Amino acid sequence: MSDFTHAEWRTARKRHQCYEGAHHIEAGQRYLHASGIFDGGFYASSTCLPCTSFRDLVGEVDDSYWEGYFGGLRLWVWHEYWNEVSDRPMGLHLLRLSRLFGRNWEGLSGELDAARARMHGLNAARK
Ligand SMILES: [Zn+2]
């Protein structure tokens, strides 16, 4: 049986547990709903907007964090892998985001946008 994933953005009608962090997605908030078959088992997950953005950024800077690795952010932050990513210019952004993630995004303001802007700048400079 082949693995597959379907992912779509939804607006929460009720409270969900975020798949990545120890926090909730409240009714009315946007979240990424993913479902599919993996290793022969069905799964479904709901991930909040900040965690989804953070996960995308980590996927870009860390080659061993494969794209779409769901549920791996806690371990990535816990093991302080931002120290090891080769892309040093992103190091400070990743440290900040890791700390905010650890506080369940409390106090989040423009950090995700700043990190994304920096990433786009770095990607553009590489081309
Ligand atoms: Zn989350």
Side-chain angles (χ1 to χ4, degrees):
M1 188 189 303
S2 64
D3 296 342
F4 80 93
T5 295
H6 173 72
E8 63 183 11
W9 286 98
R10 293 181 178 177
T11 301
R13 277 176 288 181
K14 61 180 178 76
R15 186 182 232 214
H16 296 272
Q17 173 69 49
C18 177
Y19 193 64
E20 293 287 356
H23 49 262
H24 292 103
I25 300 157
E26 302 298 338
Q29 290 182 329
R30 299 284 286 164
Y31 71 100
L32 187 68
H33 182 266
S35 60
I37 304 280
F38 183 76
D39 275 350
F42 180 80
Y43 75 92
S45 67
S46 303
T47 308
C48 75
L49 193 62
C51 286
T52 303
S53 294
F54 186 31
R55 188 165 62 196
D56 290 346
L57 283 166
V58 171
E60 284 218 37
V61 296
D62 188 345
D63 291 338
S64 60
Y65 188 92
W66 46 284
E67 189 184 348
Y69 176 33
F70 287 13
L73 271 183
R74 259 180 280 204
L75 281 176
W76 196 86
V77 170
W78 180 260
H79 289 295
E80 304 186 356
Y81 287 146
W82 67 82
N83 280 323
E84 297 171 23
V85 293
S86 56
D87 211 354
R88 289 293 168 198
M90 285 302 292
L92 194 57
H93 289 288
L94 292 167
L95 173 62
R96 277 194 200 119
L97 291 172
S98 295
R99 292 209 169 127
L100 283 162
F101 174 81
R103 294 199 302 258
N104 296 319
W105 300 117
E106 199 181 311
L108 175 69
S109 52
E111 289 85 354
L112 279 165
D113 291 335
R116 263 195 303 268
R118 179 76 170 129
M119 179 68 70
H120 288 154
L122 291 170
N123 288 344
R126 264 192 220 113
K127 286 169 188 160

